[in-house]
Every structure is written in C-alpha cells, then in structure tokens.
Amino acid sequence: MRLAVIGAGAVGRSVVELAGEHGHEVVAVADSSSAVVADGANGPDGRTPGVDPDAVVARKAERGIVGDGDPEDALAADYDVLVEATPTTLGDADPGFSHVTRALERDRHAVLANKGPVAERFGDLRAAVADSAGEIRFEATVGGAIPAVSTVEDIEPGHVTAVRGVLNGTANFILTRMAAEGLDYDHVLAEAQDLGVAEADPSFDVDGTDAALKCVILANVLSFGAVDDPADAREFTLDDADVEGIRDVPGSTLRLAAEDGRTVRLIGEATGETVRVAPRLVPENGTLAVSGTQNIVQIETTHAGRLNISGRGAGGPETASAVLGDVGRLK
Amino acid sequence: MSDAPDGIDGRSDNVDDPTPDGGHAAATPSTHTVRLELVDEPGQLLAALHPIADNGGNLLSIYHERGNKTPRGRIPVEVDFEATQDRFEEIVDALRTEGVNVMQAGTERYAEEVTLLLFGHLIDTDLSDTLSRIEACESASVADVSLAAPQGTEEVSSARLRLEARAGETETALAAVRELADEKELRLVEPLTGVEA
C-alpha cells in the first residue's frame, strides 16, 4: 500500500519509519507547516519510489519540517491509504476530520490515530464511508498497541455486552505510584512530568478526557456494529460520557483501599448505551489493576466469556504498529 | 457474578450468566447457607436438620456456634447444603413450619457485600449523618467503616465503607450512596461490581 502520513509527531514519525518493515511505501508526509511528496517520475517502472524515511525523520528533528513542500501537496498525492496522525481535536475534530473525508471523497482509505473524528463525528464519518469506495480504520485510537477495536469486530459488536478497562497510562502511572509509595497526587504528577509520562498540562489525561474519548469510540463501534442500518444506531460523543478524573483523589483514599486488599484505577466502561469513566475500586491483584503506564482492555461477550488484553497503551512505535496493522487489513 | 462471600447463590437460575462457570439451569443444585437460631436443648439440632434432608437438601457442613449466643440467649447455627432453587425454598418453608427460627436464608437477607470509598469533607458534612442515612436505606446496612483523616478533621479525609446489601440490591444501595455523595459534595469511588473475577 502507498501511504500518505499526515502528522509528524511521535506516531506519524514511527509510521514513516516502520512502514517498510510491514511491506508498505510512504509516498507523502506532512506536518502542520510542511510536506514531502515522493517524485513518482524518478521511480522504476513508473512506480513511486517512496520518500526516504530517514531523511524525513532527520529533517523533522533538525529543522522542524518534514520537507519543502506544502501540506496540501501531501493531501493531493497519489496514495492508497491516508494515515491521519495529527493531534486530537474536539468539537468539529478538524483538521483531522477533513483530511479523512477528503481521502474518502477520492475513494481512498483512511487509517486514524487521531481520536477526534471517531469520537466526535462518528456518524458523519460513517456517512462519508457509505458514499466512498474507501474504508476507515482506527485501531490506534484505543489502547495504543492493544487490538481492542479489531477484537470487538472479530467477536462482532452485537455479541459484545461491554468493554471496560484502563485506557490512560498517565493516570494509571500516577495512581500506581500514589498507592505504592503513599505519596500525594501533586508529588507524583511532578515526577511523571519529569519522566515524560505526563505532559506539562496533564488535564486531558488526569481529568479522564482521553480515557473517555476512547470509551466513546468503543461505544460507537458497539452501537453502529450492532445494527444493520446506521440510522438506527445511537451516536456517541464526548458529551454523552459521564467522566470523573483522578486529580483530587487523596493519598488517604488509596491507603484505605490498600488496607482492604484493593486499589483504585481510572476505569472506563463502554456499552452500546452508556459511557462512563471514573476512579473505581478494584482488587489489588485483580486483572484490571495493571501497574505503571500499562493499559488493559476487558471485553465482555455473550458467548465467549470475558477477554482481557493488556499492553502498552501509548508510544510512537506501539501506536504505529496498530496503524500499520489496520493498513494490512485494508484491501 | 454475585458478590456473595458465603456462597449464597441467589441467581443460580440465571441462564444468561455470562461467566464461564455460570449458566446453571434451575435444576442444577447450588450451595446455600442458612443461619438458624436454636434453643439450647438436646435434640434441637437434629430436629432442625430433618427438614433439610427430608426435602432433598444435601448437607455439606454444620457450624454450631456453641460459645456464641444471640441476644435472645439462643445458639446460632450455620448450615451449608446443596439444593436446587425450588427445593431450597421448600426447605426454608419446612424449617419454619417445624418452628425453627431461620435468621438468614440464602437470598433473603444481606447476601451481597460491597466495599466503597468516599473522600472529601467527610467530617464537616457530618459523617454520622451520612452513615445513618445509608443505614436508613432499605437495601443495605453499613457493616464496617474505616476513616483516614491525615490532615485533621477540617481537611479532605477518606472513608472505606463495607455495606451488606440484600441479594440483587447492590445497585440500588450504590445508587442511594451516589445520591447522598452528590448532595454532600463528596466523591465516591465505586467498586466494579460483578467484575471481580
């Protein structure tokens, strides 16, 4: 497959670097201000030779740009799959949403690592897919390397009653450290920021928004997947989620939990009807009490019992693996 | 599924139970526990066991708490047995017909236990009022409370509550606590009920 990678953050760069190993070719890369598009004319047999991944990554590191072209050039390039890896935006979910719909209008596929369009405008995306020969996939938007969406699809959404889990590594790291060391939130947050586990503004993670977006996406998968006619499906957005974060959980709460063999985790739950994210009491050695930045997805099924998949929920190469897995599923 | 530590399975007829060990049909015997209150006289225990055996219950264990008396001066006895749901109900009826005082029978009283955490200004918002209002809720009773107020009573403190809920009413009990927490601006950390496997 020929890929146009839009967004050159950790995920976009890793997709550029790892595409070759997965048998794909990157023909265009764009960040917010620049682009590089492979010059097809120089390719053997009229085939584009693809852009040089190392050169793209080096230019981004040294000069902050991926090439000398305009981002518009990458969107207009001759690709099979557009990889949308720009930062998540809420509301109209642009520019990510427009990047995806423009690919679909050209009957190309789109693979998203950006949560915005699938969390905030799932119905609009489904409508665009219905009018296109292209498809969309978005495994990388939920749980990084964990195959959450594709597992739900394999089981079939109509046979999945709920999906829950730990879907934010930053919040999980903070809760794990608070419980293990008896430290307060502010101390552990500063530590996480020094380690690069938490961002300078950690609101998105510690207020539960990031986990909620992932649950909203899963709720959309369950809701749309369970009906024949998309018009019958309930569409979820962040506004439909009941969200509580971990910001004000005191150390004493974790100590009381530990005295009783339990701990607190920020748990997200999605069904076809509800989305809820909140700190919850779980057994200390239970399946859901993953530690550090680990994530876990627990899928409750009608006929196949309960499935648990844990692993790395974030990171460039991890998320890029999910993106490239999606590319591999497209025909 | 049911969070019953004493093996009371009030939902043994739930064929939709998605757990791997679930899906018992109504005809499958499950383990039940009854707590009886016996007068301290010879022959009382045997008289209490007859209705169980006679109605198809398979006795598993008998715990005769001789040292421990109920406020009425009687002896509590805990009996575990296997029976189908239908037979279980017949057994409880038969015990009562025989005049045996059944304190707790399987699904009747507090069969489910639920632990939750509250944090916030627990003391300022009158913790004892909070507890008595939970207690006043029909579905549950407060079995145990632990409080941690490391920064004094005027700062944020935490409490761990163990509630005993009637079978199938854990969700109702939690909803009552949720409402109370909202009203008092306390944060509630709910357990993931029905998930602890």
Side-chain angles (χ1 to χ4, degrees):
Chain A
M1 291 281 205
R2 293 168 301 162
L3 311 182
V5 180
I6 313 301
V11 176
R13 288 201 304 276
S14 290
V15 171
V16 171
E17 288 177 311
L18 299 176
E21 274 186 45
H22 287 254
H24 307 297
E25 193 177 28
V26 178
V27 296
V29 184
D31 64 9
S32 56
S33 65
S34 67
V36 57
V37 178
D39 184 355
N42 294 336
D45 311 325
R47 252 193 111 219
T48 54
V51 300
D52 177 358
D54 296 338
V56 170
V57 172
R59 275 198 298 276
K60 183 70 182 167
E62 286 158 20
R63 298 165 52 198
I65 57 168
V66 294
D68 298 321
D70 186 271
E72 200 57 33
D73 302 342
L75 293 167
D78 189 19
Y79 60 81
D80 301 311
V81 183
L82 179 129
V83 174
E84 212 324 303
T86 63
T88 295
T89 52
L90 304 181
D92 66 5
D94 267 328
F97 179 81
S98 301
H99 295 162
V100 174
T101 47
R102 283 177 62 182
L104 291 170
E105 280 160 15
R106 292 173 61 197
D107 290 330
R108 307 297 157 87
H109 303 301
V111 169
L112 294 94
N114 173 355
K115 292 180 275 291
V118 255
E120 296 284 70
R121 299 183 70 180
F122 199 82
D124 291 340
L125 277 185
R126 294 258 53 117
V129 169
D131 291 337
S132 170
E135 286 177 49
I136 58 164
R137 299 202 62 87
F138 45 90
E139 182 63 77
T141 60
V142 182
I146 298 173
V149 175
S150 54
T151 305
V152 169
E153 284 175 350
D154 284 350
I155 297 163
E156 293 182 359
H159 294 133
V160 172
T161 53
V163 184
R164 70 177 75 82
V166 172
L167 291 164
N168 185 275
T170 304
N172 205 61
F173 175 89
I174 292 172
L175 290 171
T176 306
R177 285 283 294 162
M178 284 176 73
E181 308 294 333
L183 297 167
D184 272 329
Y185 172 81
D186 292 328
H187 180 96
V188 178
L189 173 63
E191 192 180 74
Q193 285 168 328
D194 286 346
L195 287 170
V197 169
E199 292 179 39
D201 177 4
S203 314
F204 212 59
D205 297 313
V206 299
D207 290 341
T209 314
D210 174 70
L213 288 171
K214 291 164 181 170
C215 290
V216 165
I217 294 167
L218 289 167
N220 279 324
V221 170
L222 293 179
S223 170
F224 281 79
V227 296
D228 293 327
D229 180 357
D232 298 335
R234 174 169 170 200
E235 180 180 351
F236 289 85
T237 68
L238 188 57
D239 285 343
D240 299 306
D242 185 1
V243 189
E244 284 177 60
I246 62 158
R247 205 189 271 274
D248 44 10
V249 174
S252 58
T253 294
L254 288 156
R255 277 197 292 285
L256 283 179
E259 277 174 24
D260 199 39
R262 292 161 210 252
T263 193
V264 176
R265 288 290 181 265
L266 184 67
I267 302 284
E269 285 181 289
T271 66
E273 280 111 43
T274 57
V275 175
R276 181 176 178 202
V277 174
R280 301 290 285 271
L281 200 55
V282 297
E284 200 167 23
N285 299 313
T287 315
L288 287 170
V290 289
S291 47
T293 56
Q294 285 278 302
N295 282 22
I296 183 163
V297 173
Q298 186 169 74
I299 302 171
E300 211 70 65
T301 73
T302 320
H303 304 302
R306 178 182 297 159
L307 299 172
N308 295 297
I309 319 172
S310 62
R312 295 191 188 166
E318 291 84 351
T319 309
S321 294
V323 167
L324 291 163
D326 271 352
V327 172
R329 286 189 188 90
L330 293 165
K331 289 286 178 310
Chain B
M1 291 297 287
S2 122
D3 196 7
D6 49 4
I8 295 166
D9 186 359
R11 289 153 57 156
S12 56
D13 56 345
N14 182 359
V15 290
D16 292 322
D17 186 342
T19 56
D21 56 346
H24 301 299
T28 312
S30 54
T31 306
H32 301 272
T33 301
V34 291
R35 275 171 69 82
L36 311 173
E37 202 179 41
L38 301 181
V39 181
D40 193 6
E41 282 172 13
Q44 286 296 304
L45 181 59
L46 194 59
L49 296 181
H50 268 305
I52 298 173
D54 293 350
N55 287 283
N58 179 28
L59 278 168
L60 296 173
S61 73
I62 301 158
Y63 183 57
H64 196 185
E65 300 174 57
R66 271 204 75 88
N68 185 7
K69 291 203 171 171
T70 69
R72 280 188 281 194
R74 296 183 183 165
I75 299 169
V77 178
E78 203 168 277
V79 183
D80 292 334
F81 58 90
E82 277 183 336
T84 61
Q85 189 61 32
D86 290 349
R87 290 239 160 110
F88 170 67
E89 281 155 23
E90 285 165 22
I91 288 167
V92 174
D93 288 344
L95 283 166
R96 291 196 165 132
T97 311
E98 294 286 316
V100 178
N101 193 0
V102 181
M103 296 160 69
Q104 283 184 23
T107 59
E108 278 205 336
R109 245 179 82 80
Y110 300 129
E112 295 176 7
E113 207 178 67
V114 61
T115 299
L116 50 87
L117 298 169
L118 282 169
F119 65 87
H121 291 281
L122 289 164
I123 318 278
D124 285 353
T125 57
D126 196 348
L127 182 61
S128 68
D129 171 70
T130 306
L131 296 177
S132 46
R133 282 172 62 188
I134 296 172
E135 193 70 54
C137 143
E138 292 263 301
S139 307
S141 151
V142 180
D144 188 46
V145 182
S146 300
L147 182 70
Q151 287 153 337
T153 55
E154 285 170 18
E155 290 301 313
V156 166
S157 52
S158 302
R160 186 182 68 235
L161 270 55
R162 189 159 57 84
L163 307 184
E164 287 177 337
R166 290 171 191 272
E169 292 188 24
T170 297
E171 193 40 53
T172 317
L174 278 174
V177 180
R178 215 177 280 148
E179 201 172 307
L180 191 55
D182 263 359
E183 182 195 315
K184 296 197 171 199
E185 292 183 6
L186 301 172
R187 287 278 304 272
L188 168 64
V189 180
E190 291 180 36
L192 264 175
T193 49
V195 178
E196 301 186 18

